[in-house]
Amino acid sequence: VKGLVVMDANLDEVATGILRNTRPSYWMKVSYPSLKPLSSYVADLVARLTFFSNWERDGHPPTYWISGFFFTQSFLTGILQNYARKFQLAIDTLGWQYNVMKKSFADQETFTKPETGCYVHGLFMEGARWDDDAGCIAESLPKVLFSEIPYMHWDPLEKHKDDTDMNRIYMSPLYKTSERKGVLATTGHSSNRVMTLNFKISAKHTGKYWTKRGVAALCALDT
């Protein structure tokens, strides 16, 4: 701006992005996946930095903004490792149990860490919504494309002890963005797909019903 730096293609793209509210493509080469416009992207980046700064200063938070992680799988592996060490179990024998909390759970002034696992928030559902009263997936409300998922308790458990009735479960993919596609990295993980979540469904629907609806969980919206 002061004329002290020679203008190049990258700086020109940044200037254009500020005018048009678009993300510079060369930023995204080293960024976490995002489809937000530039203004929302910067606000999201600041929120992520604040989340980790508070974590570094105050220690582990009682709840985790799961959407704020760059590499979410490493955090989840850490939770499994802590559980495996605590109960002296092999980590490859562990799985996850997903419990959606009541919406009133978020109204607490202070949160207490769970005995095992972690409380997470910041997820959204596309193609359906979570019915707080029925405790299962329900049809989206009219003209509502995305709905917020209440706080969840992700709790490790031994796979052979999991008594979940899979006939009453929808196995929903969790993506970082609504693009629903990514690049397979050398670590074996997708750059967009995070994991599979299990949501309870009502007796009048099957998992295939919601699969045909294209229901998925998202870490972030496009706005």
Side-chain angles (χ1 to χ4, degrees):
V1 177
K2 294 182 179 180
L4 302 178
V5 180
V6 178
M7 198 73 169
D8 60 11
N10 288 337
L11 288 177
D12 182 64
E13 188 178 8
V14 172
T16 302
I18 293 174
L19 292 174
R20 298 180 178 177
N21 199 24
T22 57
R23 293 165 286 106
S25 59
Y26 86 101
W27 282 14
M28 303 313 296
K29 292 179 181 178
V30 293
S31 169
Y32 53 86
S34 178
L35 299 178
K36 296 179 179 292
L38 182 61
S39 57
S40 299
Y41 175 84
V42 172
D44 181 63
L45 177 60
V46 171
R48 289 169 185 252
L49 294 175
T50 301
F51 170 64
F52 287 109
S53 296
N54 293 340
W55 186 346
E56 189 274 334
R57 185 187 67 243
D58 304 327
H60 284 273
T63 66
Y64 294 91
W65 179 36
I66 198 69
S67 306
F69 290 97
F70 185 98
F71 186 33
T72 314
Q73 290 88 344
S74 64
F75 166 74
L76 298 175
T77 300
I79 297 293
L80 290 178
Q81 286 175 335
N82 289 339
Y83 186 91
R85 293 190 185 106
K86 182 177 180 179
F87 296 100
Q88 299 182 343
L89 300 169
I91 191 171
D92 58 356
T93 65
L94 301 178
W96 289 100
Q97 192 170 52
Y98 307 97
N99 300 305
V100 182
M101 313 300 289
K102 286 289 186 180
K103 289 183 179 179
S104 58
F105 181 82
D107 299 333
Q108 303 177 73
E109 293 185 5
T110 57
F111 294 89
T112 303
K113 296 179 182 178
E115 289 290 330
T116 57
C118 57
Y119 292 130
V120 303
H121 64 279
L123 300 180
F124 302 88
M125 187 175 291
E126 181 181 16
R129 65 181 175 89
W130 181 259
D131 188 327
D132 193 50
D133 295 326
C136 64
I137 295 178
E139 298 285 356
S140 299
L141 297 176
K143 300 181 181 180
V144 178
L145 298 179
F146 306 96
S147 61
E148 189 172 356
I149 300 175
Y151 277 74
M152 296 184 70
H153 181 203
W154 292 2
D155 195 20
L157 82 165
E158 293 181 80
K159 295 177 182 177
H160 72 274
K161 293 182 179 179
D162 187 0
D163 57 358
T164 302
D165 182 3
M166 300 308 295
N167 292 322
R168 299 269 58 83
I169 289 294
Y170 170 63
M171 299 177 66
S172 169
L174 172 62
Y175 296 100
K176 293 182 179 180
T177 70
S178 63
E179 195 173 23
R180 299 199 186 194
K181 67 176 183 179
V183 178
L184 192 64
T186 54
T187 57
H189 297 98
S190 168
S191 61
N192 196 3
R193 195 178 193 279
V194 179
M195 62 191 305
T196 299
L197 302 178
N198 293 337
F199 290 109
K200 293 182 180 179
I201 58 177
S202 64
K204 64 180 181 180
H205 292 136
T206 63
K208 289 184 178 180
Y209 175 85
W210 297 111
T211 299
K212 292 178 180 179
R213 291 275 178 155
V215 176
L218 306 174
C219 289
L221 302 181
D222 301 348
T223 56

